[in-house]
Amino acid sequence: MMIAINSVNRQRIKLVLIFVIFSAPIITAWGMVEWRIGVPEQITAHGSPAEQLPLLEHWPVETVSKTDVGEDQWTLAFDCSVKCAERRDILWRMHRALGREAHRLARLSIGGGGQALPGEQLARWEGKPTWRKVNSVWLIDPQGRPALSFPASVPVADILDDTQHLFKVNAR
């Protein structure tokens, strides 16, 4: 026994199919969000926002050596109190790894001693601010506002990744 599909039933089937086709993505997206299925666990920033830090000009530091810092340059400030020579060298290599964008970054080594590496300023802490953490790295925007803070445990490759991302989204 065959069921005859008349014109009215055919139109109803088309309407149901159109409803299913257009509602399936919404139902799928809701399920992905609700049950966390198929949602990538991608990390976009390795550093934490440095909202609580004062502007760079208000930091308790005394500049020892000066280099020219342009108006549109970001600053990579780092506390150089432990393994200073090694830390300065690895951050200098990270700076070089920026390639064509290296001119957009200046480095500020706070603490330690020795000669300044190319593109680096040397400074000393005048006090011990409460927000300072040993061997931390701070990425500061051209206006002097701290953008990201990296604890000593963050690999330099992750600092480089975040710096490149900020340069990409903050094109001149």
Side-chain angles (χ1 to χ4, degrees):
M1 181 166 143
M2 241 172 147
I3 299 177
I5 299 180
N6 61 18
S7 175
V8 173
N9 287 339
R10 189 173 301 135
Q11 297 304 321
R12 287 183 184 158
I13 291 172
K14 285 181 184 178
L15 183 62
V16 168
L17 286 174
I18 289 172
F19 179 73
V20 167
I21 288 171
F22 285 105
S23 63
I26 295 170
I27 293 169
T28 303
W30 175 81
M32 288 174 71
V33 168
E34 192 66 30
W35 295 302
R36 305 295 298 165
I37 298 171
V39 178
E41 297 294 329
Q42 182 178 4
I43 296 174
T44 55
H46 302 92
S48 56
E51 301 161 342
Q52 304 300 323
L53 298 181
L55 293 174
L56 180 59
E57 63 190 35
H58 300 298
W59 286 21
V61 295
E62 174 191 348
T63 304
V64 176
S65 71
K66 278 253 190 213
T67 59
D68 290 333
V69 177
E71 284 186 25
D72 64 339
Q73 274 192 317
W74 289 70
T75 303
L76 187 73
F78 56 97
D79 180 63
C80 198
S81 52
V82 179
K83 297 183 181 176
C84 188
E86 179 183 325
R87 188 80 165 155
R88 287 174 59 203
D89 182 60
I90 200 161
L91 289 171
W92 176 74
R93 291 174 191 276
M94 184 218 81
H95 190 179
R96 297 283 310 240
L98 288 170
R100 292 185 306 192
E101 298 291 328
H103 70 279
R104 295 183 65 190
L105 184 71
R107 291 183 327 281
L108 175 63
S109 174
I110 307 170
Q115 295 284 61
L117 296 172
E120 179 179 58
Q121 280 187 0
L122 298 180
R124 282 190 290 258
W125 290 109
E126 290 181 336
K128 292 189 178 184
T130 57
W131 46 264
R132 174 187 165 212
K133 294 193 176 38
V134 175
N135 271 8
S136 289
V137 176
W138 301 277
L139 191 58
I140 301 165
D141 73 7
Q143 285 78 38
R145 297 178 304 231
L148 290 175
S149 175
F150 301 94
S153 60
V154 174
V156 175
D158 292 343
I159 298 172
L160 174 64
D161 185 45
D162 284 359
T163 304
Q164 288 173 326
H165 178 72
L166 280 173
F167 284 178
K168 182 177 168 185
V169 298
N170 291 293
R172 288 177 270 164

